[in-house]
Amino acid sequence: QSTSATGPAIAENFPDKGVVIFDSHGSQSGTSSYLCLTTSSGITQEDYNNGWAVRSGSAAWIDGRYIENHAPDTLSNCFVWMAICEGMKRQGQGTTGYALLRAGAGVVYGYSQSVTFIADLTMYLPSFTGSLMEGATIADAFQTMKDEYGVPDPRGDAYPIIVSPVDPYPANPDSEQTVYCEWTLFGN
């Protein structure tokens, strides 16, 4: 949280988790989407040079490639919920989602545009995680969420997007996606 959420701390805490939630701000820059941090502590010049991090004043933003290259071990087939703006924006080309999959995540969720906190925290997240807690697959939880609240974000224009081994980054992330991922919270 806050300045304790450094790039290294986030990367170090990714392995051995079943669910990871980015509850922060996000932004797209260049050909990636980034998690906004409030500090640049631990970010190296190599991270900036590789595009795994970008500067924002005295803070840094990191993308999935940062996690992929700094996590101390392979991620444990986790589900990553990116409650951040632009985590799956078209110009970001799915870079963060694909990097997290390569690092070992099982499935990554994010938004195509800026999402409202109301839609994410009081509608989409409770519906989706409620379904997962009842044993639903990602595909079923995603469909239930869409059936309950529709797409895009009922208060804005962000579309929810899933990237998984069977769900490629869509050609148009600003449209409704059909999801096929069979990942479940309690394993297969």
Side-chain angles (χ1 to χ4, degrees):
Q1 184 175 6
S2 189
T3 57
S4 295
T6 64
I10 292 168
E12 289 168 14
N13 282 286
F14 243 95
D16 299 322
K17 303 297 186 289
V19 176
V20 176
I21 298 175
F22 287 171
D23 187 10
S24 186
H25 295 285
S27 186
Q28 175 271 321
S29 179
T31 58
S32 192
S33 295
Y34 294 86
L35 170 65
C36 299
L37 305 179
T38 60
T39 180
S40 61
S41 178
I43 305 298
T44 67
Q45 189 59 47
E46 179 185 16
D47 297 325
Y48 293 122
N49 291 347
N50 289 327
W52 307 338
V54 294
R55 287 182 174 86
S56 177
S58 63
W61 302 346
I62 60 171
D63 72 0
R65 296 171 299 177
Y66 181 90
I67 305 301
E68 178 184 22
N69 287 284
H70 290 291
D73 202 355
T74 303
L75 308 186
S76 54
N77 193 37
C78 59
F79 170 54
V80 181
W81 180 279
M82 296 193 302
I84 62 174
C85 291
E86 302 181 357
M88 294 285 186
K89 191 165 180 157
R90 182 191 305 262
Q91 292 89 337
Q93 302 174 0
T95 299
T96 284
Y98 282 131
L100 291 171
L101 291 181
R102 287 191 307 268
V107 59
V108 182
Y109 174 103
Y111 294 102
S112 68
Q113 300 291 338
S114 293
V115 66
T116 62
F117 286 110
I118 291 173
D120 180 72
L121 293 174
T122 67
M123 297 175 186
Y124 286 157
L125 181 63
S127 173
F128 199 98
T129 57
S131 293
L132 289 180
M133 291 295 293
E134 293 173 1
T137 65
I138 291 289
D140 290 338
F142 193 81
Q143 187 61 50
T144 297
M145 178 189 78
K146 290 191 315 180
D147 291 346
E148 288 179 6
Y149 296 107
V151 293
D153 167 358
R155 308 282 179 149
D157 62 355
Y159 281 84
I161 301 296
I162 292 283
V163 176
S164 78
V166 295
D167 299 293
Y169 183 74
N172 180 9
D174 290 318
S175 62
E176 185 172 353
Q177 181 188 26
T178 300
V179 172
Y180 301 97
C181 183
E182 294 293 315
W183 188 98
T184 61
L185 183 60
F186 303 110
N188 295 325

